[in-house]
Structures are given as C-alpha cells and as structure tokens.
Amino acid sequence: MSSPSDVTTLPGNDYSKHESSITLPAPASSHGVKRAPNNAELAATEKAIHPPDVGVMPWIQVAGSFFLMFASWGTVVSYGTFQQYYTSGGGIVDETSSSRIAWIGSLQTFLLMFGAALTGTLYDAGYFRVMMYFGSFMMIFGLMMTSLADKYWQFVLAQSLCTGSGMGLIALGALAIPSTWFIKNRGLAVGVGSSGASIGGIIFPITLRHLIPEIGFGWAVRVMGFIVMAILILPLAMSRQRLPSKKRRTLIDFKSLTQVEFGLYWLSIFLAFLGFFVFYTFVESWIIATHLDTAGVSPYYFLALVNAASTFGRIFSNYAADVVGPLNIQAPATLISGILVLTWIPAHSIGSVIVIAILYGFFSGTLVSMPPTAIASMTADMSEMGGRIGVCFLAMAFGSLIGSPIAGAIVQSAGYNSAKIYGGLMLLAGSVAMASARFKKTGLNLRVKA
C-alpha cells in the first residue's frame, strides 16, 4: 500500500461521507518528482467516478451480477443433480463411490472460491473485465468438455478444474460489483444480484432432468453450456468497476484478519461452509436411497425447491440488512439453518421434508448473499473491498472442499443420519462464531445496527 506521501485523497463530495477516502497515485512532474494534482485533475477524477445509488447504471451492474451468479454459483448449487446421476451409474463408467464422486463437486466449488480469493488483488487493481473474459471462456469450454467425458479423471479435469477455475475468475466480482455501486440500498442490490445463483439452481437441475432421458447426458450438458454462454452476454458487455484501481502488494489480504471482528467472521464462514452443502449435495440421493414415499413428487425437484426458496431468502434478508444490519440477520439465519439440518434426521414424510427444504433454502441463502454486505460494514476503506471478500472466499473454499467429501465418507461408513448431524453441528458452530463477531463489533446491545 502506498505511503501517505505517495497518494492524494479526493476532496469530500456528496457521497464521500459514506465511503472512506479514495486514494489515487500522485502524478509525477516532467522531472520524475511526484507532485500534488491540480484542481482540474481532481475535478476530472471526481467527475469520472459515478456516484453510488444514482441513475440506471448501478442497477445495470446488479443485472450483470445476477447473470454472473446464475452462471457460476447456479452451476455449483446444482451439483446435487450430477452427484445423484453419477452415483446411480450414469456418466462415469469407472467410479461409483459416493465419497470419491463428491470430490468432483467439492473441487469445483473449492476452485470457484479459492480462485476468488486469489483474484481479490487483481480486482482491486482494476482487472475485473479481463478476468471476466477469461473466466467465461473457461466455464463454457469446461462444460463442453464435460459433455464428452466418460471417465472419472476426465470429469475431474473438465467439470472440476476447468469449469471451477473459470468460475473462480468471475465469482468475486459478481458479488463485489453491486456492493461498491450502492450505499443506501447496498444490501438489497447484493441480494438481488446473488439471487441469480438460486435461479440458476432452479433452472439447471430441471433442465438436466428433462433433457438427459430425451437427448442423453452429453447433449443435456451442452445445452447447459449454451445457456451459460447466452446469459453471460450482458455482463461481458456492461459490467464494470466504479472505484479507481488500487495496486496492492499482497496476493491475499491476510492482514485484515487482525481486525478481531473480521477474523471471527472469517472463522464463522469456514465452519458454516463445512456443513452448508450437505443438504444440497445429499437430499436427492437420500430420498432415493431411503425409498421415501414422495406422493408422486419427483425427488429431482427438491434441489430446485431449495433454490427457489433461497431466491426469496437472499433478497429479503439483504433488504432487512439495510435496516437492522447484516450480522443481525446472518447470525440468526445460520443458527436456524443448522437447526433445520438436524430436524432433517427425524423427517420421514414428504410433507416434513418439503417444509425443511423450503426453510433451509430461505435461511441458508444468507451464507452466500450476505458476506459482501457484512464485510462492507467492517471495512473502513472500500477500495480494499475486493481483497477482503477474497480472504473470506478462502474460508468458503476450504470449508467447501472438505465438507461434502467428509459428509460422503460419513454416509458410506455410518449412514445419512450421522452426516446430517455433522452438517447441522458445523452450521451451529458457524453461527456461534458469527454472533461473537457481531458482539465484538457493536457490543451486547441487541438493538444496535450491526
């Protein structure tokens, strides 16, 4: 980070009170000596920065975020459909182990989040659009190669490594962009943008389930790739950063973890993501394995049901966060999510499972949609937003990488109920750490916005 002598702070404007000082490199004179910018240069720079919450451009960025989340996270939360298809003997000809197959989805999710962690520095440096171009190509190419695969290692290369890496290049920007274009309606904007993941999680599973019997697995996945290609047109054309680029010397902003409340929040995200995907990954296979009487409701629609409920949860919770504060919403929602996974244990009727699926989708959606808003509330300098979201994605990455395979191993060795206990306890532990971050930030007064 530049020293005080190397930067010049923009003068206050009508929205500077809501953001920390935005720093720009001081221009050099003809002799190479750095000088303070003149009034004309400052005015030009200030004019070039679009004010937050004003005009149609911020909402265009929300639309771009929606489609980026649709393509990336929408694919990730749809993996339960692939998991069930692969473990039932479809697609992969040389592997049927539930735990080993779960690594395909876990590695894909890990690379999405780990890639986002590594690209936080590049985002802050202004390379979001470059990353978006490369990431879009890798996602589409990876899906097309998945459609041609039939061996385990081929799925790992195409679906996990290629597609996951492409997602990692765009995932951070998809969440960070709306948070910098809004202040007053930041939570709502992030919630609407992140709901794209839920809509993708509805459309992709239903599309695959209908198309695989009709045209085969290969063409069904190709159709999915064409859908991703189409919805990326708007963000590729219109999505852009608002704040000036800020060059950073560290790849991942580990220094931010020394802020106690942010460090506790980071821990809470890691713990929660150890259990977050358990329900998403195993609800379909559990319904089929236990021969649950679904009363004519196809088990393949349950994942879409969870994601549909998550759409409303993400938007409503982020709207409420603008009023009462993100941590006051996310901590209780994570607690309820953990309780719901535990109540899945005695559920033996289709009605109870549907209720749990809807409620879990609604409350657990905050774990994906709320972090940018929560991180913003703990960040003094918004030009460091990308780096902070990046380090938070690192927690999501490692939690997701080992969470589902651990649950898959538990299913094989001890049964589904033990995996449910594991998932529920991890979410409960995450809620405790998250509540600790909230109390550290604002104290024990529950009426304070946090």
Side-chain angles (χ1 to χ4, degrees):
M1 187 176 295
S2 303
S3 65
S5 61
D6 293 334
V7 298
T8 301
T9 304
L10 287 177
N13 50 42
D14 59 347
Y15 57 91
S16 62
K17 62 182 179 182
H18 300 290
E19 298 178 317
S20 62
S21 57
I22 301 171
T23 56
L24 298 171
S29 68
S30 59
H31 300 289
V33 179
K34 293 181 179 178
R35 60 175 176 79
N38 58 40
N39 291 336
E41 290 170 334
L42 283 172
T45 302
E46 186 174 357
K47 182 179 180 180
I49 302 175
H50 193 290
D53 296 291
V54 176
V56 70
M57 184 55 72
W59 290 106
I60 291 177
Q61 305 310 311
V62 171
S65 171
F66 177 93
F67 287 119
L68 289 173
M69 292 293 289
F70 187 114
S72 56
W73 278 92
T75 301
V76 164
V77 298
S78 300
Y79 180 75
T81 300
F82 288 97
Q83 174 81 12
Q84 195 284 322
Y85 181 74
Y86 295 156
T87 55
S88 64
I92 304 177
V93 299
D94 59 347
E95 185 60 67
T96 58
S97 167
S98 176
S99 180
R100 280 178 57 81
I101 289 174
W103 275 104
I104 297 174
S106 291
L107 184 57
Q108 181 187 71
T109 306
F110 170 78
L111 289 172
L112 180 154
M113 299 178 186
F114 187 69
L118 295 180
T119 56
T121 297
L122 294 175
Y123 175 88
D124 286 339
Y127 293 105
F128 167 64
R129 290 187 61 80
V130 175
M131 294 189 294
M132 187 168 54
Y133 290 136
F134 279 101
S136 298
F137 170 78
M138 292 181 68
M139 285 174 57
I140 297 167
F141 181 75
L143 286 172
M144 295 304 177
M145 292 301 99
T146 300
S147 73
L148 301 174
D150 63 358
K151 292 183 174 57
Y152 181 76
W153 67 268
Q154 294 171 343
F155 283 94
V156 170
L157 287 178
Q159 191 169 7
S160 299
L161 295 180
C162 186
T163 305
S165 297
M167 294 174 182
L169 288 172
I170 69 173
L172 182 139
L175 285 171
I177 287 290
S179 64
T180 59
W181 280 85
F182 289 86
I183 292 175
K184 180 181 178 182
N185 298 309
R186 177 180 289 151
L188 177 61
V190 173
V192 172
S194 67
S195 68
S198 301
I199 301 300
I202 297 170
I203 292 176
F204 287 144
I206 294 176
T207 300
L208 290 170
R209 288 301 179 189
H210 280 279
L211 291 182
I212 288 175
E214 298 292 330
I215 60 178
F217 175 79
W219 269 107
V221 176
R222 285 180 208 121
V223 169
M224 183 176 175
F226 288 130
I227 293 173
V228 169
M229 185 186 302
I231 63 177
L232 287 174
I233 292 175
L234 175 66
L236 287 172
M238 300 297 295
S239 293
R240 53 182 43 85
Q241 294 171 258
R242 183 179 75 87
L243 298 178
S245 61
K246 180 176 183 178
K247 298 192 180 298
R248 304 173 58 84
R249 294 174 180 169
T250 57
L251 186 61
I252 300 177
D253 189 13
F254 288 112
K255 184 180 179 181
S256 62
L257 297 176
T258 59
Q259 181 184 348
V260 177
E261 59 266 35
F262 184 75
L264 287 169
Y265 185 75
W266 186 93
L267 176 63
S268 74
I269 293 297
F270 172 73
L271 293 172
F273 268 80
L274 285 172
F276 173 68
F277 283 105
V278 171
F279 191 88
Y280 280 93
T281 303
F282 295 101
V283 62
E284 287 187 3
S285 59
W286 170 78
I287 291 173
I288 295 171
T290 57
H291 304 289
L292 182 72
D293 182 6
T294 61
V297 179
S298 172
Y300 306 131
Y301 286 104
F302 276 81
L303 196 58
L305 186 65
V306 175
N307 285 305
S310 182
T311 303
F312 296 99
R314 293 175 193 226
I315 296 174
F316 175 79
S317 62
N318 277 271
Y319 176 77
D322 286 332
V323 179
V324 301
L327 293 178
N328 283 338
I329 297 294
Q330 194 179 22
T334 305
L335 173 66
I336 294 171
S337 298
I339 294 173
L340 286 168
V341 173
L342 294 177
T343 59
W344 182 23
I345 296 172
H348 298 295
S349 67
I350 186 62
S352 60
V353 176
I354 288 176
V355 170
I356 292 171
I358 292 173
L359 292 176
Y360 183 76
F362 184 88
F363 287 103
S364 68
T366 62
L367 282 170
V368 176
S369 67
M370 196 72 74
T373 310
I375 293 169
S377 72
M378 294 180 276
T379 302
D381 185 352
M382 288 303 294
S383 65
E384 297 180 350
M385 186 70 177
R388 288 199 161 211
I389 294 180
V391 77
C392 196
F393 263 113
L394 197 64
M396 296 181 186
F398 283 100
S400 301
L401 176 67
I402 63 178
S404 292
I406 289 175
I410 293 174
V411 167
Q412 286 188 309
S413 61
Y416 281 100
N417 282 348
S418 296
K420 296 173 188 177
I421 293 173
Y422 160 77
L425 290 179
M426 291 301 99
L427 285 164
L428 293 179
S431 70
V432 171
M434 199 174 293
S436 301
R438 183 256 181 250
F439 291 131
K440 171 60 182 173
K441 180 174 182 284
T442 58
L444 299 177
N445 187 348
L446 297 179
R447 296 183 179 182
V448 176
K449 183 177 180 179

